[in-house]
Amino acid sequence: MSKIKARKGAPYARIIGVGGYRPVRVVPNEVILEKIDSSDEWIRSRSGIETRHWANDEETVAAMSIEAAGKAIADAGIAADQIGAVVVSTVSHFSQTPAVATEIADKLGTNKAAAFDISAGCAGFGYGLTLAKGMVVEGSAEYVLVIGVERLSDLTDLEDRATAFLFGDGAGAVVVGPSEEPHIGPTVWGSEGDKSETIKQTVPWNAFRLGDVSQLPVDSEGNVKFPAITQEGQAVFRWAVFEMAKVAQQALDAAGITSDDLDVFIPHQANVRIIDSMVKTLKLPEHVTVARDIRTTGNTSAASIPLAMERLLATGEAKSGDTALVIGFGAGLVYAATVVTLP
């Protein structure tokens, strides 16, 4: 017989606050066209992107996270020292250790909250949300701060016609807290590592210390390029359209609802054509509000879902209490989908 005493938390968990931060600088497609052979019309038709935000030197991963998190905590109506854990999903914090979450937890004024980073690409928010739900229900934290944050402009090859126009910067955050009713559904998540080559970093960080610079990519002027994100566009598109619609449906089924019960659909903001194809495949009713924040924010990876959620609530396109399907998918390849009640 076990001697370990179980600790019980809340019956259920829910999102109780949301916040976002978009860098000050707005970058139109015209700036992207300075280094690639393309057109504004082509970028808009292929991705839906019109503008994106790029961070300045002061808008670091930590700084953007703190701004978004502060808004989420205020929206939740709690104090920072009530946060028991901080989970940060990012692929663009360049210090391997310590985790940027520890800096964020300290500067927010939490009371020595548990803090760690996760790397799950564009599915990172869903992964973090699932961990937060578990902590609240298990009792290891009453309130958990989940942040998705990226400075993907640092990992963008502006001469790569396939990706130069895609990425933006920003941070989105939510506070997950206790609930007497289920407001975060079961998560349908997984990975397909056999497809890892379809979205990846061009070269690993240690390539710069191996000595053979001839193996490193160079720009049009012969300078060694900083590592960047690259992808096989068509392969990713097909996977996202056909496989992720199935995952989204599984999340609806797991939550015990149908598309008719939905009020809002918030997919990862990867590409408007992917979003529109998923809407069609899922046969979402016309009354469902669909997030298309990518048009003015670009693809911000782990930050895209909370940023889109925050904007829908701020503009009134969605309202507190709405039932929303959220799904993230990307490098790994990894994915995570669940149904939530909006804060």
Side-chain angles (χ1 to χ4, degrees):
M1 185 175 179
S2 175
K3 298 179 180 179
I4 299 172
K5 180 181 177 180
R7 181 167 58 178
K8 188 176 181 180
Y12 305 101
R14 70 172 298 161
I15 299 172
I16 62 172
V18 61
Y21 180 82
R22 293 171 174 81
V24 174
R25 183 186 178 192
V26 177
V27 180
N29 289 336
E30 285 73 20
V31 172
I32 306 298
L33 296 174
E34 294 173 3
K35 293 194 175 184
I36 60 171
D37 180 18
S38 187
S39 68
D40 178 61
E41 180 183 3
W42 186 89
I43 293 174
R44 290 177 187 238
S45 65
R46 299 291 290 184
S47 69
I49 299 173
E50 301 166 12
T51 60
R52 74 283 291 146
H53 295 256
W54 282 356
N56 60 33
D57 291 344
E58 287 73 39
E59 293 167 320
T60 63
V61 166
M64 292 191 293
S65 296
I66 290 166
E67 289 290 332
K71 294 175 183 177
I73 292 169
D75 190 46
I78 65 171
D81 62 7
Q82 292 178 267
I83 298 292
V86 178
V87 183
V88 177
S89 178
T90 185
V91 299
S92 48
H93 175 58
F94 294 153
S95 292
Q96 192 71 37
T97 191
V100 71
T102 59
E103 176 185 351
I104 295 166
D106 176 63
K107 290 186 176 178
L108 284 172
T110 68
N111 185 20
K112 299 181 180 179
F116 58 95
D117 299 349
I118 60 173
S119 176
C122 305
F125 176 74
Y127 276 52
L129 184 64
T130 303
L131 294 173
K133 172 187 173 183
M135 283 185 260
V136 170
V137 173
E138 186 268 341
S140 57
E142 184 176 12
Y143 298 101
V144 180
L145 177 65
V146 180
I147 302 170
V149 57
E150 302 292 2
R151 271 182 56 121
L152 293 182
S153 57
D154 291 335
L155 287 168
T156 299
D157 181 352
L158 294 178
E159 295 183 340
D160 180 359
R161 188 173 183 272
T163 61
F165 59 90
L166 285 175
F167 302 120
D169 303 336
V174 299
V175 174
V176 177
S179 172
E180 293 298 318
E181 297 178 334
H183 287 288
I184 302 176
T187 300
V188 177
W189 58 354
S191 65
E192 298 184 32
D194 60 315
K195 299 179 180 65
S196 61
E197 292 295 305
T198 56
I199 306 175
K200 64 180 183 179
Q201 187 171 304
T202 49
V203 293
W205 302 117
N206 66 350
F208 289 92
R209 56 185 290 195
L210 298 180
D212 187 2
V213 294
S214 66
Q215 301 302 310
L216 299 176
V218 296
D219 62 22
S220 57
E221 298 179 355
N223 301 310
V224 173
K225 290 184 178 181
F226 192 73
I229 297 172
T230 185
Q231 70 174 27
E232 298 174 15
Q234 288 302 312
V236 173
F237 181 88
R238 289 192 298 270
W239 176 77
V241 168
F242 296 110
E243 298 303 321
M244 291 305 98
K246 297 176 186 176
V247 171
Q249 183 60 56
Q250 290 170 13
L252 290 175
D253 295 341
I257 67 172
T258 70
S259 58
D260 290 332
D261 298 313
L262 278 182
D263 300 303
V264 185
F265 178 44
I266 311 177
H268 164 50
Q269 303 294 292
N271 182 303
V272 164
R273 292 193 303 148
I274 291 175
I275 294 171
D276 291 344
S277 294
M278 292 181 71
V279 168
K280 183 177 180 180
T281 302
L282 289 168
K283 298 179 181 178
L284 295 185
E286 289 188 6
H287 75 262
V288 176
T289 297
V290 180
R292 293 185 176 87
D293 189 47
I294 189 173
R295 296 189 187 282
T296 56
T297 305
N299 180 342
T300 55
S301 188
S304 77
I305 290 175
L307 277 175
M309 182 184 295
E310 183 264 349
R311 174 161 281 173
L312 289 176
L313 290 167
T315 60
E317 296 173 80
K319 63 183 185 300
S320 175
D322 279 353
T323 300
L325 169 64
V326 299
I327 179 170
F329 45 86
L333 294 171
V334 293
Y335 55 87
T338 189
V339 176
V340 303
T341 302
L342 295 183

